[in-house]
Amino acid sequence: MGREFSELSTNGRQVTLNRPKALNALSSPLFEELNDALSKYDENKDIGAIVITGSEKAFAAGADIKEMAPLTFSAAYSNNFIAPWSHLANAIRTPVIAAVSGYALGGGCELALMCDIIYCTDKATFGQPEIKLGVIPGAGGSQRLTRAIGKSKAMELILTGKNFSGKEAGEWGVAARVIEGGKEELMAETLKTAETIASYSRVAVVAAKEVVDKSQELSLREGVEYERRLFHGLFGSKDQKIGMTAFAEKKKAEWSHE
Ligand code: CAA
């Protein structure tokens, strides 16, 4: 897209973490760039889905341990260290797919878990090894992994620091799809799904993402009511009329995204 990034590259609607010397360890400057790239994609109404990926060897091997090593409690606390990582989960309304090949450890696993969908290769390696460094997951891993796989399994992984495979990520529901092969096969499948999502009405897509996200936070009754309100709201969109008229007329819907 003609923008300059030192440690990640962007192409179309895809962000590629590109810090090979440190296996895409997520330093604060790298995360700033990532947030900036995500915001720009999110503001671009021509982009209907975003993909975050890394290299064949590493999606991301965690937060940057060398940056964190000298950190003090007072600096971490007063500067709210790692809080900017929540930008993806809190502010990005366009669906984001993580395409994970290789290591997704610590903050790398947490970054993938913040995305709306995870696709991975069967040889991917996930894990929350922070316990081995004398700390705990700090970017939502204890919460999102537990919601994804249940308390006992998450507790075992977080307390032992044991990794889990891409195949297990698929079996446990962490990953929506496990692709056999390498990065090329992974990207082909990921981009197909991104294109499918991008082919629908933006209004409906944003609403669908919002209601699924709410299921992680609300009681069932509140969530169902929330969903119904947004469902009602979509009858005020142009695209509801376009979609349903096209169905009745056996035509392809030409979305207005309004
Ligand atoms: N931070 C900083 N540098 C890292 C890094 C990280 N998380 N992970 C890897 N690197 C660096 C290594 O230090 C090494 O650099 P040098 O060549 O300068 O020594 C380079 O990347 C290549 O790494 P290895 O030589 O270790 O590669 P490997 O193939 O032998 O091992 C690995 C790969 C198993 C992923 C190993 O690098 C590793 O264990 N990395 C750390 C994983 C980790 O503990 N992540 C959690 C971080 S804490 C966190 O994320 C907190 C949070 O919740 C937000």
Side-chain angles (χ1 to χ4, degrees):
M1 301 278 285
R3 293 199 294 268
E4 296 294 325
F5 291 106
S6 58
E7 287 175 335
L8 58 84
S9 60
T10 60
N11 167 25
R13 55 184 182 273
Q14 184 182 318
V15 181
T16 305
L17 302 171
N18 186 22
R19 201 185 168 205
K21 283 190 188 142
L23 301 181
N24 292 334
L26 299 159
S27 61
S28 296
L30 176 53
F31 229 97
E32 237 172 75
E33 288 185 309
L34 175 61
N35 284 345
D36 188 39
L38 292 173
S39 292
K40 285 184 176 138
Y41 280 170
D42 200 40
E43 283 158 20
N44 182 343
K45 300 304 172 224
D46 292 334
I47 292 177
I50 301 168
V51 173
I52 302 180
T53 192
S55 66
E56 183 96 41
K57 181 166 181 190
F59 177 73
D64 189 321
I65 300 168
K66 292 166 193 169
E67 178 188 334
M68 286 185 295
L71 199 61
T72 60
F73 166 75
S74 55
Y77 182 65
S78 55
N79 299 326
N80 212 0
F81 176 61
I82 238 168
W85 288 36
S86 296
H87 180 68
L88 163 53
N90 291 348
I92 302 298
R93 308 196 75 201
T94 310
V96 183
I97 310 179
V100 177
S101 169
Y103 294 110
L105 299 178
C109 185
E110 292 170 302
L111 172 61
L113 288 165
M114 271 183 241
C115 295
D116 299 302
I117 299 173
I118 299 177
Y119 278 13
C120 66
T121 66
D122 52 340
K123 291 180 281 295
T125 302
F126 293 84
Q128 298 291 163
E130 290 88 346
I131 199 83
K132 297 180 185 170
L133 300 167
V135 290
I136 62 171
S142 65
Q143 308 302 298
R144 293 196 177 89
L145 188 63
T146 306
R147 278 167 169 75
I149 66 178
K151 179 184 158 186
S152 186
K153 228 184 257 297
M155 192 69 94
E156 182 199 27
L157 291 167
I158 289 167
L159 289 179
T160 63
K162 264 170 50 182
N163 293 338
F164 58 102
S165 68
K167 196 166 165 285
E168 285 168 319
E171 285 164 8
W172 300 345
V174 172
R177 293 266 306 277
V178 181
I179 284 98
E180 283 187 26
K183 179 94 196 291
E184 206 178 308
E185 291 80 5
L186 171 70
M187 292 319 292
E189 289 305 313
T190 306
L191 292 174
K192 259 193 239 166
T193 297
E195 267 160 32
T196 301
I197 295 168
S199 74
Y200 297 124
S201 160
R202 178 173 170 84
V203 193
V205 165
V206 168
K209 167 166 161 154
E210 187 174 332
V211 291
V212 175
D213 277 341
K214 283 288 176 205
S215 74
Q216 304 298 292
E217 286 164 26
L218 300 179
S219 70
L220 180 60
R221 184 180 175 146
E222 287 167 326
V224 169
E225 281 173 5
Y226 192 92
E227 177 199 74
R228 195 180 310 124
R229 292 291 166 256
L230 269 196
F231 175 68
H232 290 163
L234 287 175
F235 288 88
S237 74
K238 274 190 193 167
D239 281 345
Q240 173 270 325
K241 299 288 176 282
I242 289 171
M244 294 194 183
T245 306
F247 174 83
E249 293 175 353
K250 301 190 189 305
K251 287 183 186 156
K252 187 175 178 296
E254 298 293 341
W255 305 114
S256 69
H257 304 291
E258 286 174 19

